[in-house]
Amino acid sequence: MRTKIRLASKNTCTGCLACLDSCPEKAIHACVRSNGHLYPEIDSGVCVKCGRCMEVCPVVSGYDYQDIARRSEPYAVWANDDELRMQSASGGLFAALAVYVLSQGGVVAGASMEGIEVRHILISGIYELYKIQNSKYQQVVSSGIYKAVKEALRQGKTVLFGGTSCQIAGLSCFLGENKFSGHLYTVDMICSGFPSLLALESFLKHEAGPVQTIIYRDKKEGCEKGQRLSVIFKKEAEAEKVYAGDLVYAAFGTHYTHRSCCLNCRFAVARRKADITMGDFWGDTDFPEQHYKGLSLAIVHTDRGRDLLKRTDLTVHSSAWEKVLKVNFRLVYGKFSFLKFHPARWFYPWLFTHCSYGILLKIYRGAGAYSRGWYPYLVFCKMIGLLEKLQRGRVVLKFLKRMKYYED
Ligand SMILES: Cc1cc2nc3c(=O)[nH]c(=O)nc-3n(C[C@H](O)[C@H](O)[C@H](O)COP(=O)(O)OP(=O)(O)OC[C@H]3O[C@@H](n4cnc5c(N)ncnc54)[C@H](O)[C@@H]3O)c2cc1C
């Protein structure tokens, strides 16, 4: 039957690219649009209008990402293997889970930096683990991974899939009824969203030139300061070069160039369908001595997740929701509405193609001085920001109250 094809709009598409893997005719490809974000595009000459892409799109299929019947629990965790921990973004939770699954003959899907592109890959040996460790603060190209996971599950292998909540939604829709749930572990993350690739491109053009690889979070000097972010661009013939506070992190930190759906993320809910949610445990005060090497936050949603955590070589301590939500409110509140009204948001594709690097740095490092001409807007944005904080506080308090009710 021929169906009218309607994929998610530019404002709601998460770029999970499950639609690409679903297309039997290979009529969908991924392309980076002028705003520096990745979207699927349908070649209408090849499309047979079977509608499979709509079934696997978590946005248009009406997929509900939360499961309020679950009792999710937060833990402070770190990998007992120091080497694993130091190569990871936070406490090495994901790497430790991966080691367990790989040692049992399973495979692991994670984000790998290939040149300046981030791709979801499937690894089957511990010797490949380094490829998928650490956070990559840019959109991952996930096409191909859904098919690869399905094939591994079909062969009876255990699969650990790590990615953002929207990618896990894409995977769930792609697998559909056929979830092989006994063999699949899903680990999503607290995610503040993806910045535009325009920032990375500008940075490379201006400062670094061609690079071999990028390390977004380096822990050589520890990660106690939380967001002490440095980008290491490794060049072929040069020693590593560390840039701190550059345009790449400015774009990530201020969220002005983020994907539209990330400013109103519907997947930012506490009780998720993943087995475990991972994050940086910035709000912890019980283990101050552990922050230097990185402390992970694990929110366990399922018995399978709890069981996996127990079997893994990790130190695990139960924690409190108050500590989690003190800093990681993004776990339950996915909106950055006030940014939508800011000129640095509205015009960013134009700004990135017309302004010098120095001006971009001033705007996106949040040096408001440059936007003095936009003063009325800035006041307006501040007011909306304040209202947003109130709304966020209300959501967090409501959630804490509900959790207290469950505990009592
Ligand atoms: C864009 C982004 C925003 C984030 N925002 C927050 C936040 O606001 N608060 C918070 O507490 N934590 C956030 N995190 C998560 C945090 O940075 C760590 O990734 C997480 O704590 C896991 O750390 P780890 O030490 O267990 O393992 P790591 O070894 O650091 O984790 C590696 C795994 O994380 C996943 N991953 C890494 N980069 C990507 C990517 N670009 N796309 C999809 N999956 C990826 C992959 O599965 C990868 O294999 C964010 C991560 C990303 C990628």
Side-chain angles (χ1 to χ4, degrees), residues 29-41:
H29 60 272
C31 75
V32 177
R33 290 216 192 150
S34 58
N35 64 4
H37 290 293
L38 197 65
Y39 295 92
E41 260 188 19

Side-chain angles (χ1 to χ4, degrees), residues 78-81 84 92 96-97 99-100 308-316:
W78 60 89
N80 292 331
D81 180 331
L84 274 190
L97 297 174
V99 167
Y100 172 75
L308 179 63
L309 212 61
K310 261 192 218 146
R311 290 166 189 263
T312 302
D313 188 20
L314 288 163
T315 301
V316 181

Side-chain angles (χ1 to χ4, degrees), residues 88-95 109-111 118 120 132-140 162-164 167 189-194 217 252 278-280 282 296 328 330:
S88 303
S90 20
L93 164 65
F94 188 73
V118 179
H120 242 129
I132 61 167
Q133 283 187 265
N134 220 313
S135 296
K136 286 91 184 173
Y137 293 130
Q138 67 184 72
Q139 176 102 43
V140 59
T164 57
Q167 287 148 12
M189 56 181 61
I190 304 172
C191 172
S192 50
F194 290 117
R217 272 174 67 171
F252 176 66
M278 58 184 173
D280 295 296
W282 307 127
S296 285
N328 276 318
R330 183 74 180 172

Side-chain angles (χ1 to χ4, degrees), residues 298-318:
I299 300 178
V300 178
H301 306 286
T302 63
D303 289 339
R304 287 169 50 67
R306 212 163 281 116
D307 185 55
L308 179 63
L309 212 61
K310 261 192 218 146
R311 290 166 189 263
T312 302
D313 188 20
L314 288 163
T315 301
V316 181
H317 292 275
S318 182

Side-chain angles (χ1 to χ4, degrees), residues 297-355:
L297 165 65
I299 300 178
V300 178
H301 306 286
T302 63
D303 289 339
R304 287 169 50 67
R306 212 163 281 116
D307 185 55
L308 179 63
L309 212 61
K310 261 192 218 146
R311 290 166 189 263
T312 302
D313 188 20
L314 288 163
T315 301
V316 181
H317 292 275
S318 182
S319 193
W321 280 108
E322 285 82 355
K323 287 187 180 144
V324 173
L325 294 175
K326 195 163 71 184
V327 186
N328 276 318
F329 56 82
R330 183 74 180 172
L331 181 69
V332 293
Y333 191 76
K335 290 187 185 170
F336 288 122
S337 313
F338 65 102
L339 290 178
K340 290 187 198 154
F341 301 97
H342 200 289
R345 163 77 191 171
W346 280 351
F347 302 120
Y348 84 81
W350 187 89
L351 291 169
F352 271 91
T353 40
H354 289 81
C355 294

